[in-house]
């Protein structure tokens, strides 16, 4: 019989009350249990429950002194106004935990799209960005691979493999989009990224 209990509740009658809130899958409630001997974190979906625990973690951490924690018997109902909160580029993949603590849930990074000498379109991520795929979803962060600006693909050897794709009379990296093969290459990149674990958007 512990002196105090923190309960995580996914679904149930109290969670249904969150259904009308904006972005309800990320909404949550924190409510005291009976006789002030428990706190209940309630949500409809895993993301909401994750954010409930994040909020409780922040409230408890602010009251730790001399090795003792004070548990706030609070009532919280919270939801985000914006479904996606995130960043593009930079070195965000090194700061997933820190960003997750602040309820950032969307990170977009330039991916390593390329074509091989045998004319295969390959979707990849630089080694240091793989952590977005490996840890991002577990921390409530959606990893979003972005295909490099198409006019810059020539720097990655696109025209070495497909010289017929080089546009005539335009900028240095211009691609001749009248050649259907580039549509196939682009589609293969998109499908390749979408097949990565935890990726739902490219």
């Amino acid at each position: 019989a512990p002196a105090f209990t923190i309960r995580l509740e996914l679904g149930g009658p109290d969670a249904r009350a969150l259904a009308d809130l904006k972005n309800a899958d990320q909404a949550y409630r924190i409510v005291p249990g009976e006789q002030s001997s428990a706190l209940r974190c309630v949500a409809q979906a895993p993301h909401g429950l994750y954010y409930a625990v994040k909020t409780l973690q922040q409230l408890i951490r602010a009251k730790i002194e001399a090795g003792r924690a004070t548990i706030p018997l609070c009532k919280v109902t919270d939801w985000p106004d914006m479904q996606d909160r995130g960043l593009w580029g930079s070195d965000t993949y090194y700061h997933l935990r820190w960003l997750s603590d602040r309820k950032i849930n969307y990170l977009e990074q330039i991916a390593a799209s390329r074509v091989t000498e045998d004319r295969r379109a390959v979707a990849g991520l630089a080694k240091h960005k793989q952590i977005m795929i490996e840890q991002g979803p577990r921390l409530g962060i959606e990893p979003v691979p972005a295909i490099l600006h198409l006019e810059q693909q020539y720097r990655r050897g696109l025209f070495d493999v497909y010289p017929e794709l080089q546009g005539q009379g335009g900028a240095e990296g211009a691609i001749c989009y009248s050649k259907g093969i580039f549509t196939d290459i682009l589609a293969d990149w998109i499908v390749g990224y979408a097949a990565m674990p935890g990726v739902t958007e490219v």
Side-chain angles (χ1 to χ4, degrees):
F4 196 86
T5 303
I6 296 174
R7 289 204 303 268
L8 310 184
E9 301 177 19
L10 189 59
D14 286 345
R16 283 195 288 274
L18 299 168
D20 294 332
L21 298 176
K22 192 172 182 181
N23 301 308
D25 63 317
Q26 299 181 48
Y28 63 88
R29 295 183 68 211
I30 302 173
V31 290
E34 296 177 4
Q35 300 174 345
S36 301
S37 61
L39 268 183
R40 299 167 54 227
C41 296
V42 181
Q44 286 195 115
H47 273 86
L49 195 57
Y50 185 73
Y51 293 142
V53 173
K54 284 289 175 190
T55 296
L56 185 57
Q57 178 188 47
Q58 291 162 2
L59 292 170
I60 292 173
R61 187 177 286 159
K63 294 287 186 178
I64 292 179
E65 292 181 12
R68 294 177 63 86
T70 300
I71 308 292
L73 294 177
C74 56
K75 290 183 180 179
V76 177
T77 301
D78 191 23
W79 65 94
D81 286 330
M82 297 190 319
Q83 179 178 349
D84 298 324
R85 303 166 302 281
L87 299 163
W88 179 91
S90 176
D91 63 348
T92 52
Y93 41 83
Y94 288 131
H95 309 286
L96 296 180
R97 172 66 71 183
W98 188 88
L99 292 167
S100 171
D101 284 349
R102 283 141 188 88
K103 299 176 184 162
I104 295 295
N105 67 347
Y106 188 98
L107 291 186
E108 186 174 312
Q109 284 287 340
I110 291 291
S113 313
R114 62 187 179 88
V115 290
T116 61
E117 291 182 3
D118 60 354
R119 296 191 155 210
R120 288 184 305 108
V122 177
L125 282 172
K127 188 175 181 181
H128 55 282
K129 295 180 182 179
Q130 284 288 339
I131 193 169
M132 280 179 27
I133 304 293
E134 296 162 1
Q135 294 186 18
R138 192 169 54 83
L139 297 172
I141 295 174
E142 180 180 353
V144 183
I147 295 171
L148 181 68
H149 305 290
L150 297 180
E151 78 281 2
Q152 296 179 23
Q153 288 293 344
Y154 77 98
R155 296 176 182 164
R156 296 186 173 178
L158 177 65
F159 298 152
D160 296 337
V161 180
Y162 288 98
E164 67 271 27
L165 289 178
Q166 188 163 6
Q168 302 301 311
E172 184 177 14
I175 295 170
C176 180
Y177 294 104
S178 66
K179 303 285 195 302
I181 186 62
F182 190 72
T183 305
D184 296 338
I185 292 169
L186 188 57
D188 286 346
W189 284 338
I190 292 170
V191 169
Y193 292 121
M196 291 180 174
V199 173
T200 61
E201 184 177 338
V202 178

